[in-house]
Amino acid sequence: MQRSHVLGLRLTAAIGTVLAVALVGSHAVAAPASVRMSTPVMAAEAAEAQVPYPSVSRSRLNSVGSSGFLVHDQSTPLWTNFADGSTSVVRAKSWAGEYVKASATATLASDVVAIEHYEGSLKITELRDMSTQRSVGISPDGAGNRLVGYVGFQYFVRRWNSAGTEEVQLLEKADDGKLTKLVVTGLPLDAKEATLAAATPEHAVLVYQTSRTWQWALVDLATAAVVQRHDMRSASDSVAVSDTHVAWHETDDAGTDRVVVTARGANPAPDRSTVLGKVRGTVAVGLVGNWVAYGVNSDLAWQDDPSPLYALTARNLTTNATRKLLDHTGEVATAPDGTLYASGGTVSGGEGLYRIPMGSAGAPVATRVASSGEPVGVGFLGDSVPEVIDLDAPGPARFTWRLSRLNVLVNVTLRNMYTGETKQETLRPYASPDDLHSFSFEWDGELAWHNNPDFYTPASAGNYTWRIDVKPRNGIGPGLSASGSFTVKRESGTHDYDGDGQPDILERDTAGRLWLSDTTYESYDELYQNPQTFVGGGWNVYDRIEASGNLGGAPVDDLVARDRNGVLYLYLGTGDSKAPFTSRIRIGGGWNTYVQLTGGSDLNGDGRADLVAADKSGALWLYRGTGNHKTPFKKRVKIGTGGWGTYDQILAVGDIAGAPAGDLVARDRSGVLWLYLGYGNGHFAPRTRIGGGWNTYSHLVNLGDANLDDRPDLYGINRDVPTSPFLHRATGAWRTPFAVRSNVPTVFYGPQTYDLFA
């Protein structure tokens, strides 16, 4: 959408081509240093990688050779060449000479890939050098063998021998078909379930279980002889070997995980152990010179729980100094020359494959050699926020945003640019198989009243901004902030001074101060009245203050007030609850002849609000509205000849009985309420008795449509407890125009006493 902006807590320059289109026209700004996160050590000479890498979250690094690397992208094996960045699907060659879909298994310390497919029910295994295309067909699972693992064109199998123990053999098939078999010597007699864990071109590490414990054994690939053995506390999901050390991950009986390193040789120095705590996930282990690297395999897009172990960390085996290499760890693999590689990413370099050699300063450095184009931080991909939101339309307004990943916490803020009132919500979006990037927020049109989270108010028409502040739930990489703007469309209602579509109450206290109370109708059928907002002082110069409806043509209702000299003034509405009225405009004098004034309703069907006045003789007069605030009323017309002096309150309530015109209700001094149905021409039908007991209210207010059913309601101030008002909802039936009263929950600030309501 247009008008959106992106602010990163530290957006990277390496978001790459994936986000290049999405961020056109947006702004990315680095955060102050106080909120920046630590940056992994990167090679100063690192260049922008041109080699592609699949999404780290959906792929798995299998092996790295001298010329390229093997990755499984979901279920598809891909080989990528370092030299030119070309990527191809690894396929098998069938008996018919066609290349067919196959599975591929990594072979260690080489460019060789083990390719498996079926011809009918027969499993065919091929060892193929991806650099030279040399190919050898083998049968590692034949004749009772169980495959242990591959190192280049060599492979280990295990089988039961005549002594009843499990024997491990090292095999290699020459181009002429000759098969060489060597029995691995030096393993314990009770060793079983051996697996291949790590290798160099000269040596391999086998992991197995004995009757006493777990062990690893270093095997010479030329002779198949074990040259070193070591106990382990458990089986290991990650082992590394270099020319000088063996490192592995293990878990003790208490569930504590650690990385252990021992030197190679006949009389190695004591083990060096790094305690990791209780780890959830797979620990990756690698070796770089005199440093051990470790990190927990972390899913950038799905994982929720944060952990410092998601970073790939290098620890010096002599000094214990540590350096962060990657912010996010995938898998590690060692090339034939002993160089460590790792999938994952850094905030500054993005996601992909990293080469980790020793740097010139004597410590490992990470250089990206293949890129997936994904950021380690959360990337903003765009929004679908409507430019105009009509809050009078049915249903909530929907805001939709798109991020590079959804395992995030999102704080949503919608702000009225005029009043500063906001709506804030915290979301925990989750990706679905059908949509990995989009999440939505539905807005019911409410804001925090005066930004007090305990009270809510309907949003008024006007200009708004939205902002999302995003933080990764797994703690990997920085978050971001994005913002934009939109416009709210909403029709102002009767008795509505702040433009939010719902009526307000005006209250004057005995000190002459005028207050505005905003009301909100909740979906569970109750009207709430927010605390008062101070409008201004000096209103005790008036003896009448009346809601007049929209007299001046502005979007919100206005107010008329009569001073004690009989001069009537007009206050035009502004729509701002904090300053709801403009300076007064003089209408004219002589209005002290009237004992009752009421307005806010169209009584003659011309679409304009009119004013009704009862004089001291009991006659009723109609002042038709003009729509011009300079001369708001036409010449008065008598619509009642007498008897109106019996009432202590007359209210132009609007259409409460289903007819096409505004009606009047009047309360006599004995507390009986009467209905005058309007004809639509400024005149009324004979009165109909509504009922008695209405003198329990000190004031009645023609509130307008409080419960949003398109019928005007009646609001009453409890004579005994003024701070506990009641609402009578209109029924639309002229015989019983009002329902049984319901309480209006309120919060009144201060000890002031009110003497006038409008």
Side-chain angles (χ1 to χ4, degrees):
M1 293 291 291
Q2 58 185 355
R3 300 176 292 145
S4 65
H5 304 271
V6 180
L7 174 69
L9 297 184
R10 188 165 185 182
L11 284 180
T12 75
I15 287 177
T17 56
V18 169
L19 300 182
V21 176
L23 294 180
V24 169
S26 299
H27 300 284
V29 182
S34 61
V35 298
R36 294 195 180 197
M37 303 177 71
S38 61
T39 305
V41 179
M42 297 293 294
E45 66 275 12
E48 189 73 15
Q50 302 298 320
V51 178
Y53 196 87
S55 170
V56 174
S57 294
R58 70 166 191 260
S59 65
R60 182 177 180 84
L61 175 66
N62 293 96
S63 66
V64 177
S66 301
S67 65
F69 56 91
L70 178 67
V71 171
H72 272 79
D73 185 2
Q74 294 178 328
S75 61
T76 303
L78 302 175
W79 177 266
T80 300
N81 290 313
F82 284 127
D84 58 9
S86 61
T87 296
S88 59
V89 177
V90 177
R91 299 183 184 276
K93 194 171 184 179
S94 70
W95 288 339
E98 299 175 345
Y99 283 94
V100 297
K101 183 178 180 180
S103 61
T105 302
T107 71
L108 304 181
S110 72
D111 286 272
V112 178
V113 173
I115 306 168
E116 299 173 346
H117 77 288
Y118 283 87
E119 299 277 353
S121 60
L122 182 63
K123 181 180 178 181
I124 307 297
T125 302
E126 171 195 358
L127 297 180
R128 184 189 302 165
D129 189 316
M130 301 302 293
S131 175
T132 65
Q133 295 303 303
R134 177 193 171 197
S135 177
V136 174
I138 62 172
S139 300
D141 297 323
N145 293 340
R146 297 193 66 181
L147 179 68
V148 172
Y150 303 97
V151 183
F153 283 100
Q154 295 177 291
Y155 56 100
F156 290 92
V157 299
R158 51 188 169 87
R159 55 182 295 136
W160 293 101
N161 59 25
S162 58
T165 59
E166 196 171 61
E167 178 181 272
V168 178
Q169 297 179 349
L170 177 62
L171 294 80
E172 184 173 6
K173 188 176 182 181
D175 292 339
D176 60 5
K178 183 179 180 181
L179 184 64
T180 301
K181 295 182 182 180
L182 296 174
V183 175
V184 175
T185 59
L187 292 175
L189 293 178
D190 59 349
K192 61 180 181 179
E193 301 294 326
T195 60
L196 176 65
T200 70
E202 293 79 27
H203 292 86
V205 178
L206 298 180
V207 173
Y208 49 88
Q209 188 174 20
T210 71
S211 58
R212 181 180 59 85
T213 186
W214 289 88
Q215 282 187 349
W216 59 258
L218 187 65
V219 179
D220 186 324
L221 293 175
T223 63
V226 171
V227 296
Q228 187 174 352
R229 293 194 331 224
H230 197 291
D231 288 350
M232 299 189 299
R233 291 181 174 89
S234 69
S236 179
D237 51 19
S238 189
V239 178
V241 60
S242 68
D243 291 339
T244 57
H245 292 87
V246 177
W248 65 95
H249 159 246
E250 64 183 20
T251 306
D252 64 20
D253 292 340
T256 300
D257 295 89
R258 53 178 47 84
V259 172
V260 185
V261 184
T262 193
R264 287 177 52 173
N267 297 297
D271 295 346
R272 301 297 299 265
S273 180
T274 300
V275 176
L276 305 181
K278 295 184 178 181
V279 174
R280 294 176 59 185
T282 302
V283 178
V285 178
L287 290 164
V288 185
N290 196 41
W291 296 69
V292 60
Y294 53 88
V296 174
N297 179 271
S298 46
D299 190 298
L300 190 67
W302 295 96
Q303 215 151 16
D304 283 352
D305 298 328
S307 170
L309 293 174
Y310 293 156
L312 186 66
T313 301
R315 180 180 294 275
N316 188 285
L317 298 176
T318 301
T319 67
N320 274 331
T322 60
R323 296 171 73 90
K324 185 195 285 188
L325 300 173
L326 301 179
D327 291 300
H328 159 51
T329 304
E331 294 81 33
V332 298
T334 303
D337 65 357
T339 301
L340 181 66
Y341 287 79
S343 63
T346 68
V347 171
S348 58
E351 291 282 275
L353 181 66
Y354 283 77
R355 182 174 180 267
I356 307 174
M358 290 293 293
S360 57
V365 293
T367 303
R368 197 186 70 196
V369 294
S371 173
S372 70
E374 301 167 299
V376 169
V378 183
F380 181 72
L381 304 181
D383 68 88
S384 298
V385 177
E387 292 189 15
V388 178
I389 294 175
D390 185 357
L391 290 181
D392 293 323
R398 178 180 287 269
F399 296 74
T400 300
W401 296 277
R402 294 180 298 280
L403 302 175
S404 59
R405 54 186 166 111
L406 293 185
N407 55 339
V408 293
L409 281 177
V410 182
N411 289 320
V412 178
T413 302
L414 310 181
R415 184 181 301 276
N416 184 315
M417 296 176 65
Y418 185 64
T419 67
E421 291 172 318
T422 62
K423 169 69 174 182
Q424 294 185 313
E425 196 80 22
T426 298
L427 308 178
R428 293 174 64 92
Y430 287 92
S432 70
D434 298 327
D435 191 343
L436 301 177
H437 303 291
S438 298
F439 70 98
S440 296
F441 168 64
E442 292 189 343
W443 184 39
D444 58 6
E446 287 189 344
L447 301 173
W449 175 83
H450 292 191
N451 286 326
N452 185 328
D454 294 328
F455 303 100
Y456 295 94
T457 181
S460 58
N463 296 323
Y464 286 73
T465 60
W466 61 262
R467 178 185 173 101
I468 56 172
D469 295 292
V470 183
K471 180 181 179 181
R473 292 202 300 267
N474 59 14
I476 300 175
L480 62 82
S481 295
S483 62
S485 59
F486 61 97
T487 300
V488 164
K489 177 182 176 183
R490 166 169 263 164
E491 293 294 329
S492 176
T494 302
H495 230 271
D496 177 15
Y497 301 112
D498 54 11
D500 63 7
Q502 290 191 224
D504 307 303
I505 304 297
L506 292 173
E507 301 148 338
R508 187 187 67 183
D509 64 27
T510 53
R513 295 172 297 186
L514 191 66
W515 305 82
L516 184 148
S517 289
D518 176 67
T519 69
T520 301
Y521 188 78
E522 298 291 348
S523 58
Y524 35 88
D525 204 34
E526 193 164 31
L527 182 69
Y528 284 83
Q529 183 173 323
N530 285 325
Q532 307 93 317
T533 300
F534 179 65
V535 175
W539 288 80
N540 50 356
V541 300
Y542 302 116
D543 63 1
R544 301 288 301 192
I545 299 174
E546 296 292 336
S548 63
N550 188 340
L551 296 178
V556 293
D557 276 9
D558 309 316
L559 189 71
V560 293
R562 184 183 66 186
D563 68 18
R564 301 184 192 282
N565 296 318
V567 178
L568 193 67
Y569 293 92
L570 170 63
Y571 287 86
L572 295 174
T574 65
D576 181 359
S577 63
K578 297 178 181 178
F581 303 111
T582 63
S583 299
R584 68 184 187 177
I585 301 170
R586 190 179 191 273
I587 294 175
W591 288 81
N592 50 357
T593 189
Y594 300 116
V595 295
Q596 298 284 343
L597 292 174
T598 184
S601 175
D602 176 19
L603 300 175
N604 63 346
D606 63 358
R608 302 188 186 99
D610 305 311
L611 190 69
V612 172
D615 64 21
K616 295 176 182 178
S617 69
L620 196 66
W621 300 87
L622 173 65
Y623 285 85
R624 290 170 294 179
T626 65
N628 183 352
H629 71 275
K630 295 181 179 180
T631 56
F633 301 116
K634 296 180 181 179
K635 185 178 179 180
R636 71 178 186 173
V637 176
K638 183 182 282 189
I639 58 174
T641 57
W644 290 86
T646 189
Y647 301 119
D648 64 3
Q649 198 164 5
I650 300 172
L651 299 170
V653 290
D655 174 21
I656 63 170
D663 308 316
L664 295 181
V665 296
R667 182 182 65 181
D668 65 26
R669 286 175 173 78
S670 65
V672 176
L673 195 66
W674 301 87
L675 169 64
Y676 288 85
L677 292 173
Y679 288 135
N681 57 1
H683 295 274
F684 301 93
R687 70 181 188 175
T688 302
R689 189 179 192 273
I690 294 175
W694 289 81
N695 51 359
T696 189
Y697 300 117
S698 62
H699 295 79
L700 293 172
V701 179
N702 47 336
L703 184 64
D705 182 15
N707 63 339
L708 307 180
D709 65 353
D710 294 325
R711 290 192 293 264
D713 307 306
L714 198 60
Y715 176 95
I717 306 300
N718 190 328
R719 189 181 299 277
D720 296 328
V721 187
T723 55
S724 297
F726 292 93
L727 179 70
H728 288 268
R729 297 174 177 85
T731 64
W734 68 272
R735 294 183 183 275
T736 55
F738 296 112
V740 176
R741 71 183 188 178
S742 60
N743 183 56
V744 178
T746 62
V747 175
F748 281 80
Y749 285 163
Q752 57 265 26
T753 302
Y754 302 98
D755 63 357
L756 191 149
F757 295 83

